[in-house]
Structures are given as structure tokens and as C-alpha cells.
Amino acid sequence: LAGWTGAFAVGSVSYVGGGDLTSDDLGNQFVVQNIAGSQTVRLVHAAFGQRFLDNTMELVLGRLLASDDFGTGLVYCAALNRGFCGPPFNTPNNVSMATFPFAVWGARLKTKPAPWFYAQVGAYNAYGAFRSNRFHGVNFTIPDDSGVLVLAEAGYLMGSAAKTDGLPGTIKRGGSYDSEPLTNLATGLSHPNGTWGIY
């Protein structure tokens, strides 16, 4: 449009209704039914992106899900179990990581200079109540007690994932830092220094 190339927009809405097999019938820790919980209509994605440098770099801004890009893999959802599908279950439980359908303000910059390598960094609004249903995903404010979740990841791709012969595979390393104030479980006091992790 008007000679502007490499741009794209993403928008999505979710509706989840009905019961939850895990809590209603099973009672296990890891959710086995992926489309469950948050029974409501909710705005999910509302983002704008731009590819540049011959499509080797991509910048995306808007309402995003960190779990779309960080700590996840193409084969994880072959097992219909939230312990594996999406990011490994401990990641969004340890930090305020935006997972489907709970999008937050964010930005991600990714570079893929070769078919076998990528690196990316992202920053997302982080606060404890971002999964609340009462705003249906259209609360665009940034709460006073929120912080920033910064994620970085690099990966080496093999086989058909790198557009070469062989079985697909990825080796990745990443880390996160969440600056939001958290509660110290031992003292019950607010801990202002945030938390970090690696994977």
C-alpha cells in the first residue's frame, strides 16, 4: 500500500465457553485441554510489524503474547498437555509471562541472518492481574505496580527446520528478567528487585 513493503498487522479475538476437563473431572496439575479457562470473549492480538534488511529482521509492537515467541517449540503441542504445549509450564508460573489468550503491551525484535540461526529480544508489560477477565483484554492502561518482563533467546536450527536435509530440530538458550515487585514468600513483604531465570 502506497509503496510500503514488509509491513503486516495481526489481530485476533478468542471465545472460550463450557467446562474445563482438567478441573471438572481430572484434578491434575497440568492442564490437558488447551482451550479451557478464561470463559469469556477476549481481545488477544492487536499488533503491527515491520520486516526489513531483506527480511532478515523483524520488529513487532502492540498487544502481544510472549509465549508465541519465547521458550516454545513447534513440536511441543504434539502432546495435548500444558506441561509441554506452549512454553514449559514453569515459565509463565514463575514470571508474569503473557500466554494465550492474555496479551499485554509488548515489543519484539528478531533477527534471522541465516536459515540455521536466529536471535531475539522482547519486552512486555508485567503485572499480576493481567489475566483478569473483567476487562476482556481491552484494558490498555499500564498499572502503577507493573514492571517489565525482558526475554532474550538465541537458537540453532537443524534439518528441515533450517531448510536442509534431515529431521527438524532446534537447540535454544534463553533467559528472562521480570522487574515487577513480587511478594517474598518467607516474609510476606514486597520484594522490589524482581526476578530472573534462564532456560
Side-chain angles (χ1 to χ4, degrees):
L1 181 65
W4 190 349
T5 61
F8 60 94
V10 179
S12 68
V13 174
S14 73
Y15 169 71
V16 179
D20 178 352
L21 178 64
T22 303
S23 60
D24 292 349
D25 298 309
L26 301 176
N28 57 321
Q29 180 179 0
F30 297 119
V31 179
V32 297
Q33 180 181 331
N34 287 353
I35 305 263
S38 181
Q39 273 78 351
T40 188
V41 176
R42 174 179 283 272
L43 174 67
V44 185
H45 297 94
F48 173 81
Q50 177 69 49
R51 294 187 180 103
F52 46 95
L53 296 179
D54 198 24
N55 286 334
T56 61
M57 192 165 283
E58 177 182 88
L59 176 66
V60 184
L61 308 164
R63 303 287 287 179
L64 301 172
L65 302 171
S67 63
D68 282 354
D69 299 300
F70 291 91
T72 190
L74 294 175
V75 299
Y76 290 6
C77 290
L80 192 60
N81 184 312
R82 276 297 315 278
F84 304 99
C85 186
F89 202 64
N90 65 306
T91 307
N93 282 353
N94 290 336
V95 294
S96 294
M97 182 178 184
T99 58
F100 180 83
F102 310 107
V104 297
W105 289 115
R108 175 185 51 81
L109 180 65
K110 180 176 184 177
T111 182
K112 192 175 181 186
W116 49 269
F117 175 78
Y118 74 91
Q120 60 185 357
V121 63
Y124 304 86
N125 187 215
Y127 58 101
F130 76 96
R131 292 183 176 97
S132 171
N133 278 343
R134 64 187 176 128
F135 297 113
H136 299 278
V138 293
N139 177 16
F140 298 140
T141 63
I142 296 178
D144 292 337
D145 62 344
S146 66
V148 176
L149 172 65
V150 178
L151 293 150
E153 181 180 288
Y156 173 75
L157 291 82
M158 299 167 285
S160 59
K163 298 185 169 80
T164 62
D165 292 336
L167 295 173
T170 306
I171 298 171
K172 61 179 66 185
R173 295 291 177 261
S176 66
Y177 175 73
D178 184 356
S179 71
E180 71 177 305
L182 300 173
T183 301
N184 186 312
L185 297 179
T187 65
L189 301 175
S190 178
H191 181 67
N193 296 328
T195 189
W196 62 272
I198 58 174
Y199 58 89

